[in-house]
mmCIF file of all heavy atoms in Angstrom:
data_model
loop_
_atom_site.group_PDB
_atom_site.id
_atom_site.type_symbol
_atom_site.label_atom_id
_atom_site.label_comp_id
_atom_site.label_asym_id
_atom_site.label_seq_id
_atom_site.Cartn_x
_atom_site.Cartn_y
_atom_site.Cartn_z
ATOM 1 N N ARG B 293 -16.063 -19.927 164.991
ATOM 2 C CA ARG B 293 -15.627 -20.576 166.230
ATOM 3 C C ARG B 293 -16.733 -21.500 166.722
ATOM 4 O O ARG B 293 -17.901 -21.131 166.710
ATOM 5 C CB ARG B 293 -15.330 -19.529 167.317
ATOM 6 C CG ARG B 293 -14.154 -18.614 166.995
ATOM 7 C CD ARG B 293 -12.832 -19.393 167.000
ATOM 8 N NE ARG B 293 -11.694 -18.528 166.734
ATOM 9 C CZ ARG B 293 -11.298 -18.142 165.516
ATOM 10 N NH1 ARG B 293 -11.975 -18.558 164.457
ATOM 11 N NH2 ARG B 293 -10.259 -17.366 165.379
ATOM 12 N N PHE B 294 -16.352 -22.691 167.153
ATOM 13 C CA PHE B 294 -17.336 -23.668 167.609
ATOM 14 C C PHE B 294 -17.043 -24.114 169.029
ATOM 15 O O PHE B 294 -15.895 -24.235 169.416
ATOM 16 C CB PHE B 294 -17.326 -24.898 166.684
ATOM 17 C CG PHE B 294 -17.628 -24.565 165.256
ATOM 18 C CD1 PHE B 294 -16.606 -24.185 164.391
ATOM 19 C CD2 PHE B 294 -18.926 -24.608 164.771
ATOM 20 C CE1 PHE B 294 -16.873 -23.868 163.064
ATOM 21 C CE2 PHE B 294 -19.199 -24.294 163.455
ATOM 22 C CZ PHE B 294 -18.180 -23.917 162.606
ATOM 23 N N LYS B 295 -18.094 -24.369 169.746
ATOM 24 C CA LYS B 295 -17.941 -24.876 171.109
ATOM 25 C C LYS B 295 -18.015 -26.385 171.105
ATOM 26 O O LYS B 295 -18.781 -26.972 170.350
ATOM 27 C CB LYS B 295 -19.099 -24.394 171.977
ATOM 28 C CG LYS B 295 -19.039 -22.956 172.348
ATOM 29 C CD LYS B 295 -20.046 -22.706 173.460
ATOM 30 C CE LYS B 295 -21.224 -21.941 172.917
ATOM 31 N NZ LYS B 295 -22.059 -21.329 173.949
ATOM 32 N N THR B 296 -17.254 -26.995 171.952
ATOM 33 C CA THR B 296 -17.456 -28.420 172.186
ATOM 34 C C THR B 296 -17.386 -28.655 173.673
ATOM 35 O O THR B 296 -16.594 -28.032 174.362
ATOM 36 C CB THR B 296 -16.356 -29.268 171.524
ATOM 37 O OG1 THR B 296 -15.099 -28.692 171.870
ATOM 38 C CG2 THR B 296 -16.515 -29.332 170.038
ATOM 39 N N TRP B 297 -18.223 -29.503 174.172
ATOM 40 C CA TRP B 297 -18.177 -29.761 175.606
ATOM 41 C C TRP B 297 -18.643 -31.162 175.935
ATOM 42 O O TRP B 297 -19.276 -31.835 175.137
ATOM 43 C CB TRP B 297 -19.008 -28.728 176.360
ATOM 44 C CG TRP B 297 -20.477 -28.815 176.114
ATOM 45 C CD1 TRP B 297 -21.348 -29.688 176.695
ATOM 46 C CD2 TRP B 297 -21.234 -28.012 175.213
ATOM 47 N NE1 TRP B 297 -22.604 -29.461 176.218
ATOM 48 C CE2 TRP B 297 -22.581 -28.452 175.321
ATOM 49 C CE3 TRP B 297 -20.923 -26.960 174.358
ATOM 50 C CZ2 TRP B 297 -23.594 -27.862 174.576
ATOM 51 C CZ3 TRP B 297 -21.940 -26.388 173.628
ATOM 52 C CH2 TRP B 297 -23.263 -26.832 173.732
ATOM 53 N N ASP B 298 -18.292 -31.587 177.130
ATOM 54 C CA ASP B 298 -18.792 -32.847 177.667
ATOM 55 C C ASP B 298 -19.602 -32.504 178.904
ATOM 56 O O ASP B 298 -19.283 -31.572 179.619
ATOM 57 C CB ASP B 298 -17.635 -33.751 178.104
ATOM 58 C CG ASP B 298 -16.649 -33.946 176.987
ATOM 59 O OD1 ASP B 298 -17.106 -34.096 175.848
ATOM 60 O OD2 ASP B 298 -15.435 -33.928 177.265
ATOM 61 N N ARG B 299 -20.607 -33.288 179.150
ATOM 62 C CA ARG B 299 -21.445 -33.036 180.309
ATOM 63 C C ARG B 299 -21.551 -34.340 181.082
ATOM 64 O O ARG B 299 -21.848 -35.386 180.533
ATOM 65 C CB ARG B 299 -22.806 -32.590 179.799
ATOM 66 C CG ARG B 299 -23.729 -32.035 180.833
ATOM 67 C CD ARG B 299 -25.085 -31.816 180.169
ATOM 68 N NE ARG B 299 -25.970 -31.098 181.059
ATOM 69 C CZ ARG B 299 -26.101 -29.779 181.046
ATOM 70 N NH1 ARG B 299 -25.408 -29.061 180.218
ATOM 71 N NH2 ARG B 299 -26.929 -29.178 181.889
ATOM 72 N N GLU B 300 -21.272 -34.261 182.379
ATOM 73 C CA GLU B 300 -21.399 -35.460 183.193
ATOM 74 C C GLU B 300 -22.335 -35.137 184.341
ATOM 75 O O GLU B 300 -22.082 -34.201 185.092
ATOM 76 C CB GLU B 300 -20.049 -35.852 183.812
ATOM 77 C CG GLU B 300 -18.998 -36.279 182.808
ATOM 78 C CD GLU B 300 -17.613 -36.288 183.450
ATOM 79 O OE1 GLU B 300 -17.534 -36.332 184.698
ATOM 80 O OE2 GLU B 300 -16.628 -36.242 182.715
ATOM 81 N N VAL B 301 -23.386 -35.896 184.470
ATOM 82 C CA VAL B 301 -24.272 -35.668 185.603
ATOM 83 C C VAL B 301 -24.367 -36.956 186.403
ATOM 84 O O VAL B 301 -24.605 -38.026 185.866
ATOM 85 C CB VAL B 301 -25.688 -35.264 185.142
ATOM 86 C CG1 VAL B 301 -26.588 -35.036 186.348
ATOM 87 C CG2 VAL B 301 -25.614 -34.031 184.282
ATOM 88 N N LYS B 302 -24.108 -36.833 187.686
ATOM 89 C CA LYS B 302 -24.284 -37.984 188.564
ATOM 90 C C LYS B 302 -25.327 -37.593 189.589
ATOM 91 O O LYS B 302 -25.321 -36.490 190.103
ATOM 92 C CB LYS B 302 -22.970 -38.308 189.281
ATOM 93 C CG LYS B 302 -22.081 -39.258 188.516
ATOM 94 C CD LYS B 302 -20.954 -39.751 189.415
ATOM 95 C CE LYS B 302 -19.937 -38.659 189.674
ATOM 96 N NZ LYS B 302 -18.812 -39.088 190.515
ATOM 97 N N LEU B 303 -26.218 -38.492 189.897
ATOM 98 C CA LEU B 303 -27.217 -38.181 190.924
ATOM 99 C C LEU B 303 -26.760 -38.786 192.244
ATOM 100 O O LEU B 303 -26.366 -39.943 192.316
ATOM 101 C CB LEU B 303 -28.575 -38.735 190.525
ATOM 102 C CG LEU B 303 -29.231 -37.985 189.367
ATOM 103 C CD1 LEU B 303 -30.543 -38.634 188.995
ATOM 104 C CD2 LEU B 303 -29.441 -36.514 189.724
ATOM 105 N N GLN B 304 -26.743 -37.939 193.257
ATOM 106 C CA GLN B 304 -26.304 -38.425 194.557
ATOM 107 C C GLN B 304 -27.264 -37.960 195.621
ATOM 108 O O GLN B 304 -28.158 -37.162 195.371
ATOM 109 C CB GLN B 304 -24.902 -37.912 194.858
ATOM 110 C CG GLN B 304 -23.844 -38.635 194.061
ATOM 111 C CD GLN B 304 -22.533 -37.922 194.124
ATOM 112 O OE1 GLN B 304 -22.485 -36.709 194.303
ATOM 113 N NE2 GLN B 304 -21.466 -38.669 193.979
#
Side-chain angles (χ1 to χ4, degrees):
Chain B
R293 295 292 182 278
F294 301 87
K295 286 193 253 196
T296 48
W297 67 80
D298 306 320
R299 191 187 188 93
E300 294 165 19
V301 180
K302 271 192 288 181
L303 289 178
Q304 285 167 333

